[in-house]
Amino acid sequence: MKALTTEQIRSVIARGKLKDSIFQAVGIFCLVVGLLVILLLVGDMLLRGIDRLSLDFFTNFASRRAAQSGILSAWVGTILVMFVTALAAVPLGVAAGIYLEEYARRNWVTEIIEINITNLAAVPSIVYGLLSLGIFVYAFGFGQSILSAGLTLALLILPIVIVSTREAIRAIPAMIREGSMAVGATRWQTCRYHIIPYAMPGILTGVIIGLARAIGETAPIITIGALTFIAFLPPVPFSTTGEGTAGLFDWVMSPFTVMPIQIFNWTSRPDPAFEVNAAAAGFVLMAMVLSMNALAIWLRYRLRKNIKW
Amino acid sequence: MQQIENKEVPPLKAEARSLNFFYSEVQALKNINMPIYDKKVTALIGPSGCGKSTFLRSFNRMHDLYPGNRYEGEIRFFPDNTNLLSPEVDPIEVRMRVGMVFQKPNPFPKTIFENVAYGLRVRGEKNRRVLDDKVEHALKGAAIWNEVKDRLQDLAPNLSGGQQQRLCIARALATDPELLLFDEPTSALDPIATGAIEELVHELKQRVTILIVTHNMQQAARVSDYTAYMYLGEMIEFGKTDDIFIKPQDKRTEDYITGRLS
């Protein structure tokens, strides 16, 4: 083949660069569309709800009068449910992920388990609600409580936690594992001193992303029967209630509501004044999700700083 | 395999007897018989894929970490005449007696101190004084103490490549192994760092038996007392390093050493 002349080389480059610029423009357009939609949504909610965003809104229970209605029981309920969810999903999911990566032999049984975990992530959330209604609420007798809701959402995010644990573990180079085993460590010592600490940034990111998904779930919580109107808080441990002193874990059995249900409730009211409440609560929920994601990013950054190979 | 007659044969540290090794169905080592002499450096040379790393990694049962691998034959370990490959012998017990340094320096993303102390912690050592002493001793043994003594709490991955490799040697030395395996320890290092490691290997043989895989024939000639040439999973020739390099008995060894086969 004859070598190209300088002219020809330049025209080849020019054609290539044109495609570069076209793709760049398309890419920027797509990015802007995505970002704008979210910004519009959040901005719209903020504008419509800003009048209600005061301290009172956070410290008042829901009320028949829109102007005095607040989200106290909803945000407290959401935080408590998330706490139970994290407490249940993290140990289960992390242990399952470690087992699958570090201990389980590769055979058809683990193959089936793996496929099932992936499928679990795709199960519609209402199905988890139905399952929990049968198991947690009735069979175990947990009732329509924070405990039932927390465990339901824990099941929902379990696949996310397992998958992110496994991916974080897979990112650890084999030579680190071999280095540990070569001095005579057992599998557990290798997990305890190396695999778990080095996988922790990835695991935490997965956990928080899972929780951010759970925080917005409405369907399964309605299914297990969360109340839509609730004017009391779960008992604080060791506080005095009408029935004597509350125990350390009494709050987990308390009825509750959560943010999405409160929003759903308000949007279904005929009085348009409640729509303002719904917008304000929606903005608060968005803020909660965004700050959880921010926390995930910050934690990942902090923990990864000292891990390199 | 041809063995060169020696007048004084040093005591044995280990001996491979009819060793075969399989990665699933693929046979990587074929009927290897070879002595490892006590407190000597034995080099394994041969072209890529000849099985020298596979052979090396049999000595600390590294292959047990992955499914489908299979050994046949024995590696006898002395003075107690244990068969390292026996299913009754726990691979962890083997690794507690046989240390290893890898091709690419693989310090843990922890402090320099914790890297060296790790083997001791794994053995249940909690006494701070003992840990301090042994870490210092190991770092001195690996000729890196002077460079790191003032920053034992720094992160090990911030060291240079050559320092990282010496740290890995210290990590292996800290638990007083009887046999130390080196898997091409200098292939990721510059010539100066390589020189330091070679010098270290030379000093270490006072304390420990060494088996080293190397791609670099000059390195084998410089550091080892005995050399084995492997080709396609077979042990072609074993003997004193001087003999192997000056008057190889086998045509294939000669071809490799003189650069006609690589």
Side-chain angles (χ1 to χ4, degrees):
Chain A
M1 198 181 101
K2 252 190 81 180
L4 297 174
T5 66
T6 315
E7 283 304 305
Q8 282 169 317
I9 289 174
R10 282 182 186 155
S11 86
V12 167
I13 293 174
R15 257 179 289 145
K17 286 222 162 161
L18 181 67
K19 285 178 191 162
D20 251 5
S21 333
I22 292 172
F23 182 78
Q24 209 172 7
V26 171
I28 290 173
F29 175 76
C30 295
L31 192 67
V32 167
V33 167
L35 282 178
L36 268 187
V37 169
I38 293 178
L39 270 179
L40 278 176
L41 221 65
V42 176
D44 180 57
M45 271 196 308
L46 181 61
L47 281 179
R48 285 205 274 161
I50 194 140
D51 289 342
R52 297 288 295 120
L53 281 176
S54 62
L55 192 62
D56 282 350
F57 190 62
F58 291 91
T59 55
N60 282 357
F61 288 112
S63 158
R64 248 173 248 114
R65 283 183 293 274
Q68 284 158 27
S69 209
I71 55 168
L72 178 59
S73 49
W75 73 257
V76 172
T78 287
I79 287 175
L80 292 179
V81 169
M82 284 304 113
F83 181 67
V84 173
T85 301
L87 225 54
V90 172
L92 278 177
V94 172
I98 291 171
Y99 174 78
L100 282 174
E101 280 304 307
E102 296 295 318
Y103 286 85
R105 292 204 157 266
R106 296 265 165 274
N107 56 30
W108 63 272
V109 180
T110 44
E111 291 278 317
I112 289 175
I113 291 174
E114 270 172 40
I115 293 169
N116 271 304
I117 288 171
T118 324
N119 284 338
L120 277 182
V123 171
S125 59
I126 188 121
V127 175
Y128 283 103
L130 291 171
L131 177 84
S132 303
L133 185 66
I135 294 180
F136 298 135
V137 177
Y138 292 124
F140 289 1
F142 294 161
Q144 298 166 348
S145 62
I146 290 175
L147 182 61
S148 293
L151 293 179
T152 307
L153 296 180
L155 285 184
L156 188 79
I157 68 165
L158 202 53
I160 302 175
V161 177
I162 295 176
V163 168
S164 61
T165 299
R166 299 187 64 188
E167 273 169 12
I169 289 176
R170 276 188 211 163
I172 300 169
M175 64 177 189
I176 296 289
R177 195 174 286 105
E178 290 190 352
S180 169
M181 300 300 279
V183 299
T186 60
R187 278 184 202 281
W188 172 244
Q189 283 167 330
T190 303
C191 285
R192 153 97 174 62
Y193 289 105
H194 304 288
I195 304 300
I196 297 174
Y198 309 155
M200 201 40 85
I203 294 173
L204 279 178
T205 310
V207 166
I208 293 172
I209 288 178
L211 288 177
R213 171 167 175 210
I215 205 172
E217 279 296 340
T218 322
I221 305 286
I222 291 179
T223 316
I224 64 163
L227 299 180
T228 50
F229 186 87
I230 191 167
F232 56 88
L233 290 180
V236 176
F238 312 122
S239 66
T240 315
T241 65
E243 297 145 38
T245 307
L248 181 55
F249 294 112
D250 278 8
W251 59 270
V252 300
M253 300 307 281
S254 169
F256 68 99
T257 193
V258 289
M259 295 288 292
I261 291 181
Q262 186 65 70
I263 296 167
F264 176 69
N265 175 252
W266 277 332
T267 53
S268 56
R269 297 283 188 100
D271 183 354
F274 280 106
E275 276 175 27
V276 179
N277 287 11
F283 180 77
V284 173
L285 184 58
M286 272 306 284
M288 283 171 120
V289 172
L290 287 179
S291 53
M292 283 174 84
N293 284 334
L295 180 70
I297 292 168
W298 181 75
L299 273 176
R300 186 169 43 190
Y301 168 77
R302 273 300 301 272
L303 292 172
R304 277 209 184 138
K305 233 176 25 180
N306 290 340
I307 298 174
K308 54 179 169 182
W309 16 73
Chain B
M1 196 189 90
Q2 308 184 25
Q3 189 152 352
I4 290 148
E5 293 290 317
N6 293 309
K7 282 179 200 85
E8 0 83 77
V9 177
L12 278 175
K13 184 63 214 173
E15 187 171 32
R17 293 181 188 164
S18 314
L19 175 64
N20 292 300
F21 180 78
F22 302 84
Y23 289 112
S24 294
E25 297 311 308
V26 183
Q27 184 165 8
L29 297 178
K30 293 169 189 161
N31 191 31
I32 293 191
N33 291 283
M34 189 181 125
I36 310 285
Y37 294 117
D38 195 30
K39 304 273 166 37
K40 300 285 179 201
V41 178
T42 305
L44 297 170
I45 60 170
S48 296
C50 71
K52 53 196 190 304
S53 282
T54 304
F55 182 45
L56 187 87
R57 290 163 67 93
S58 301
F59 281 83
N60 67 346
R61 301 271 297 268
M62 224 47 188
H63 299 301
D64 290 42
L65 295 182
Y66 305 97
N69 296 337
R70 190 159 56 85
Y71 312 92
E72 277 172 12
E74 300 181 336
I75 293 178
R76 286 283 162 186
F77 204 55
F78 302 104
D80 46 323
N81 198 25
T82 306
N83 175 16
L84 297 182
L85 302 183
S86 161
E88 280 98 66
V89 175
D90 194 314
I92 293 171
E93 176 191 323
V94 174
R95 293 178 202 133
M96 289 217 171
R97 300 180 66 182
V98 181
M100 180 161 183
V101 175
F102 295 81
Q103 182 170 2
K104 195 166 171 255
N106 60 347
F108 305 131
K110 295 181 184 289
T111 63
I112 292 169
F113 183 89
E114 281 306 320
N115 264 277
V116 183
Y118 180 59
L120 303 163
R121 290 202 191 281
V122 158
R123 285 158 177 75
E125 183 59 68
K126 290 193 175 74
N127 185 323
R128 185 75 204 185
R129 179 96 64 60
V130 176
L131 286 173
D132 282 345
D133 281 355
K134 291 206 169 182
V135 167
E136 177 176 343
H137 191 241
L139 287 168
K140 281 177 174 161
I144 191 179
W145 172 250
N146 286 332
E147 291 157 70
V148 300
K149 65 181 175 200
D150 299 321
R151 47 180 178 136
L152 292 177
Q153 297 308 319
D154 282 7
L155 288 175
N158 291 337
L159 295 170
S160 74
Q163 288 173 325
Q164 286 185 16
Q165 195 61 303
R166 277 178 286 147
L167 181 70
C168 291
I169 294 172
R171 181 171 76 196
L173 285 176
T175 53
D176 294 313
E178 298 164 52
L179 171 64
L180 195 48
L181 310 172
F182 285 85
D183 189 359
E184 295 182 38
T186 60
S187 62
L189 303 181
D190 67 54
I192 291 171
T194 299
I197 302 277
E198 286 181 8
E199 205 171 302
L200 186 54
V201 167
H202 205 75
E203 281 167 26
L204 285 176
K205 73 172 177 181
Q206 317 290 331
R207 298 169 51 181
V208 55
T209 307
I210 289 170
L211 185 57
I212 179 169
V213 165
T214 176
H215 255 126
N216 180 329
M217 275 177 290
Q218 286 77 29
Q219 184 169 74
R222 281 193 297 265
V223 303
S224 70
D225 302 301
Y226 292 87
T227 295
Y229 172 64
M230 291 181 68
Y231 184 62
L232 298 178
E234 285 179 75
M235 181 68 58
I236 305 296
E237 188 165 350
F238 172 83
K240 285 200 154 183
T241 298
D242 292 344
D243 296 336
I244 291 274
F245 279 93
I246 293 163
K247 42 175 195 249
Q249 304 291 304
D250 193 291
K251 181 75 170 53
R252 290 166 292 184
T253 314
E254 191 184 339
D255 286 350
Y256 182 70
I257 287 167
T258 53
R260 262 170 287 180
L261 174 72
S262 62

